[in-house]
Amino acid sequence: MSVFIPVGIVILAMLIMIFLQLSPGIYALFYHYASGKYSKKRTSDLGMFFILGAETIAACLFLCCYYFAYILFIGQSRPETGIFAWIAAGILIVLAFCSFFFYFRPGTGTKLFIPRNFATSLDHQAKTIKTRSDAFALGAFSGTCELIFTLPLYVITAIEIMEMNTEYFSSNLLTIIYILTPTIPLFIIRWLFHSGRNLSDIIKLRIKDKHFTRFILAFCYLTIAILIICFRINS
């Protein structure tokens, strides 16, 4: 099996993690509220702890999925084939459908699929951050709010990287890059604020990119499913 298949699956999973909107949306709200209450230096400091929290939970989720997959498939030379591959492909196809039709709520804004009372609670938490530990906790929590979309990716990516370790090459660098990927949109929003943009500007950018985001999420999920069906199930 070519090394390009598992690498391609991991790269597509990275793209999905970059284009998911919930954690960046929470970060934008938090940074907006913090900048209105605190100095620029303190806001930047709290923002870094939010990102650190998001990164920590991403690392924990990936490592848990990696060791779970290792224990579950120990002794199997091709863990990504068979019934598991059919289940994974089916889940990804469902997620492709959901991300295209249901990820954003109907309307002109960027309201996401989460219940409105939960969104209100997140807004309140973002507004009341006072300490580094609060920012860290909110960042970590934001990384778990889209598990329905991210957990299958963590599992599939962990298996692909585990397969690379056993057959191809040391994939430590790829693992580190994947774990860091969820923080990329957070750093982009941080840069936008530092460059003089405000929350309104960021929301306008999100609205402008809404349809592209929906398309790229569905495309990546579906492409991963096709790669699994064509190169894993039939291998």
Side-chain angles (χ1 to χ4, degrees), residues 31 33-46:
Y31 210 97
Y33 291 134
S35 62
K37 295 186 295 183
Y38 307 121
S39 67
K40 187 174 182 180
K41 181 179 179 181
R42 178 164 172 77
T43 299
S44 180
D45 181 62
L46 291 174

Side-chain angles (χ1 to χ4, degrees), residues 51-121:
I51 294 174
L52 181 60
E55 170 57 25
T56 300
I57 198 65
C60 290
L61 286 170
F62 178 84
L63 291 175
C64 287
C65 290
Y66 185 93
Y67 287 112
F68 172 78
Y70 178 81
I71 293 171
L72 185 63
F73 295 112
I74 191 169
Q76 297 187 29
S77 59
R78 301 299 300 279
E80 77 281 24
T81 59
I83 186 64
F84 175 81
W86 280 110
I87 295 173
I91 291 173
L92 291 170
I93 291 172
V94 171
L95 290 177
F97 179 85
C98 292
S99 60
F100 190 82
F101 291 102
F102 305 116
Y103 188 72
F104 291 100
R105 286 177 174 267
T108 57
T110 58
K111 293 180 180 179
L112 299 180
F113 62 94
I114 59 175
R116 291 301 87 197
N117 58 345
F118 184 56
T120 302
S121 176

Side-chain angles (χ1 to χ4, degrees), residues 85-86 89-90 93 224-235:
W86 280 110
I93 291 172
I224 295 174
I226 291 172
L227 289 175
I228 290 174
I229 292 171
C230 293
F231 296 99
R232 294 311 194 191
I233 294 174
N234 296 323
S235 61

Side-chain angles (χ1 to χ4, degrees), residues 5-234:
I5 301 305
V7 170
I9 290 174
V10 174
I11 291 174
L12 288 168
M14 289 179 183
L15 282 175
I16 293 173
M17 301 296 283
I18 289 172
F19 278 92
L20 288 173
Q21 298 290 302
L22 187 50
S23 183
I26 297 172
Y27 183 74
L29 285 173
F30 150 73
Y31 210 97
H32 168 73
Y33 291 134
S35 62
K37 295 186 295 183
Y38 307 121
S39 67
K40 187 174 182 180
K41 181 179 179 181
R42 178 164 172 77
T43 299
S44 180
D45 181 62
L46 291 174
M48 283 305 300
F49 274 85
F50 182 105
I51 294 174
L52 181 60
E55 170 57 25
T56 300
I57 198 65
C60 290
L61 286 170
F62 178 84
L63 291 175
C64 287
C65 290
Y66 185 93
Y67 287 112
F68 172 78
Y70 178 81
I71 293 171
L72 185 63
F73 295 112
I74 191 169
Q76 297 187 29
S77 59
R78 301 299 300 279
E80 77 281 24
T81 59
I83 186 64
F84 175 81
W86 280 110
I87 295 173
I91 291 173
L92 291 170
I93 291 172
V94 171
L95 290 177
F97 179 85
C98 292
S99 60
F100 190 82
F101 291 102
F102 305 116
Y103 188 72
F104 291 100
R105 286 177 174 267
T108 57
T110 58
K111 293 180 180 179
L112 299 180
F113 62 94
I114 59 175
R116 291 301 87 197
N117 58 345
F118 184 56
T120 302
S121 176
L122 289 174
D123 182 78
H124 175 72
Q125 292 180 48
K127 189 181 297 185
T128 56
I129 296 300
K130 295 180 180 179
T131 65
R132 289 175 171 178
S133 59
D134 290 339
F136 181 93
L138 182 61
F141 180 69
S142 73
T144 66
C145 291
E146 290 183 301
L147 280 179
I148 188 174
F149 287 99
T150 59
L151 189 59
L153 295 178
Y154 280 117
V155 174
I156 291 168
T157 304
I159 292 173
E160 294 297 333
I161 290 178
M162 181 171 64
E163 186 73 3
M164 279 186 254
N165 279 332
T166 58
E167 288 190 5
Y168 302 119
F169 54 85
S170 176
S171 53
N172 292 335
L173 179 60
L174 189 60
T175 300
I176 293 171
I177 294 173
Y178 183 78
I179 291 175
L180 291 173
T181 297
T183 66
I184 292 175
L186 305 183
F187 277 111
I188 292 174
I189 291 175
R190 178 184 175 88
W191 173 78
L192 288 173
F193 274 111
H194 283 198
S195 64
R197 305 289 183 91
N198 55 34
L199 182 62
S200 177
D201 296 325
I202 293 171
I203 291 175
K204 289 177 182 177
L205 288 173
R206 285 161 62 93
I207 292 174
K208 181 181 178 182
D209 296 336
K210 174 181 175 179
H211 297 298
F212 177 75
T213 298
R214 187 170 60 177
F215 169 79
I216 201 71
L217 289 174
F219 173 80
C220 290
Y221 278 119
L222 188 59
T223 304
I224 295 174
I226 291 172
L227 289 175
I228 290 174
I229 292 171
C230 293
F231 296 99
R232 294 311 194 191
I233 294 174
N234 296 323

